[in-house]
Amino acid sequence: MNIPSNIITLIAGILLTLISLWFGQNHGLMPVAASEEAPWIDGLFNTMMTISIGLFLLVQGILIFSIVRFRQRPGDETDGPPIEGNIPLEIVWTAIPAMIVLGLGVYSFDVYTNMGGLDPMASHDRGQQVAHIEGAAIAASLSQEAPTLEKANRRVAIGIGADPDEIGKAPDLVVDVLGLQYAWIFTYPETGIVSGDLHMPVDRDVQLNIKAADVIHSLWIPQFRVKQDAIPGRETELRLRPREPGTYPVVCAELCGSYHGGMRTQTIVESAEDFDQWVNEQIASVDGENLGTPVANLSSEEYLAPYTHFLGMDESALKAMGTMGNEHHHSL
């Protein structure tokens, strides 16, 4: 039975599409989606996985078919046909990848914007300014004085702020985050609690104000699908909403020194009642001498001493921390 080649091509295309769609949605490569932001990232990842599987099967299928169909037969010493090129085919295989890349770029921009990125008002960045001089101004500066920085400045967003529906609303919980070699320190400014673990109530809008005491670190919670750099001398923001109670790892995703791999802790998402209970327990366990003392009035060692058991630090490491200067810890 001689099946027309166009029918075979159609059937192969349908099978390729079905396999790509199924695997793109059922690959099982992502951890549990534990935040409101996670489905946005998962949708983008699944789309890229679907496209990647389709292209992989298409390219590999053509290669295998060509190896089998056009292989050299025994005794055949002739040359292959002198094919110099196919302009329409080259246009097609250039245009399709270009359209895919453009489409993914627009999709990823939309995802990042909906998560609160690329918006100076959403990220609450009020300090960072970058000199921006238009082409005409550059040309004019060749013959006259360059424009002042005040006229050429523009603000840029640092981090991920509130999503468009939450812009202008105060978060339910604010946590100050300090990254330092090699630990994360979480401070709750409303209560003065300092912890080596990040505790958050479920289904609440949480804002993390992130700083670094020494070098660049990066706060990454894989189950939340969010990651934000901690930059020395700058404050970055990460705003999120946990959806699934549980205990999830907090990882430093920026090479920050010899013990970078050990800079790990955990975030605990719990019910509002359990979170309130944890807050009350932490307040009750604070050293009485420091209870009520403003953070700014504590030395580095006094500031960290009650919490070294969370951080896995010995006394010598704590003293070494003190040499970094109190301003790093007071920046919380």
Side-chain angles (χ1 to χ4, degrees):
M1 180 178 174
N2 187 16
I3 302 177
S5 60
N6 56 347
I7 300 297
I8 295 176
T9 302
L10 177 61
I11 295 175
I14 293 174
L15 289 176
L16 178 68
T17 302
L18 292 176
I19 293 173
S20 301
L21 288 173
W22 181 86
F23 192 86
Q25 303 298 320
N26 298 276
H27 49 75
L29 297 176
M30 303 293 278
V32 61
S35 72
E36 189 175 78
E37 294 72 22
W40 289 99
I41 301 299
D42 288 356
L44 177 59
F45 183 85
N46 291 345
T47 300
M48 292 190 293
M49 180 63 70
T50 299
I51 296 173
S52 300
I53 291 299
L55 291 176
F56 175 81
L57 293 177
L58 176 63
V59 173
Q60 297 303 316
I62 293 175
L63 284 175
I64 294 173
F65 172 79
S66 300
I67 291 172
V68 175
R69 176 68 175 80
F70 302 106
R71 71 188 186 278
Q72 185 181 31
R73 266 62 174 186
D76 184 0
E77 301 296 337
T78 62
D79 293 332
I83 299 175
E84 296 183 359
N86 187 317
I87 299 300
L89 180 60
E90 292 178 4
I91 292 175
V92 169
W93 70 36
T94 301
I96 291 178
M99 294 175 61
I100 291 175
V101 171
L102 180 61
L104 289 176
V106 173
Y107 185 13
S108 62
F109 181 88
D110 181 66
V111 168
Y112 193 49
T113 301
N114 281 299
M115 289 176 59
L118 301 180
D119 187 339
M121 296 305 296
S123 69
H124 303 290
D125 182 35
R126 300 291 185 266
Q128 176 70 4
Q129 294 183 330
V130 177
H132 177 69
I133 304 177
E134 301 293 345
I138 295 176
S141 66
L142 297 176
S143 58
Q144 61 184 16
E145 184 179 358
T148 61
L149 286 178
E150 288 75 17
K151 295 181 180 179
N153 284 342
R154 63 181 175 89
R155 296 189 182 276
V156 296
I158 301 295
I160 297 179
D163 64 53
D165 295 334
E166 298 289 338
I167 293 178
K169 299 180 182 179
D172 299 317
L173 176 66
V174 176
V175 184
D176 294 333
V177 182
L178 179 66
L180 69 167
Q181 295 172 317
Y182 299 93
W184 295 105
I185 302 176
F186 304 99
T187 300
Y188 297 76
E190 293 185 0
T191 59
I193 294 173
V194 182
S195 174
D197 296 329
L198 176 59
H199 286 251
M200 293 183 289
V202 69
D203 202 23
R204 294 292 187 272
D205 188 22
V206 180
Q207 177 177 314
L208 305 180
N209 300 321
I210 306 172
K211 292 183 179 180
D214 34 45
V215 299
I216 295 178
H217 303 277
S218 188
L219 183 78
W220 180 34
I221 308 175
Q223 284 76 9
F224 291 176
R225 312 292 194 269
V226 291
K227 180 169 72 70
Q228 181 58 53
D229 285 351
I231 305 172
R234 288 301 316 274
E235 181 176 291
T236 58
E237 178 183 316
L238 189 57
R239 195 152 166 175
L240 51 89
R241 184 182 291 270
R243 286 297 193 190
E244 295 292 333
T247 300
Y248 310 108
V250 178
V251 183
C252 178
E254 188 76 29
L255 182 60
C256 58
S258 303
Y259 299 98
H260 159 73
M263 189 171 172
R264 303 172 64 93
T265 184
Q266 60 185 4
T267 179
I268 301 172
V269 180
E270 50 203 346
S271 65
E273 295 77 11
D274 290 341
F275 177 77
D276 291 339
Q277 180 180 352
W278 175 80
V279 168
N280 294 331
E281 291 174 353
Q282 294 302 305
I283 293 176
S285 65
V286 171
D287 187 355
E289 295 181 1
N290 293 337
L291 187 61
T293 304
V295 170
N297 296 336
L298 297 178
S299 68
S300 298
E301 294 184 38
E302 292 173 331
Y303 182 76
L304 293 175
Y307 310 99
T308 52
H309 66 285
F310 288 117
L311 307 177
M313 298 166 55
D314 56 26
E315 184 177 354
S316 61
L318 181 61
K319 292 181 178 179
M321 291 281 299
T323 63
M324 297 170 57
N326 292 339
E327 66 276 4
H328 295 315
H329 308 298
H330 297 163
S331 64
L332 283 171

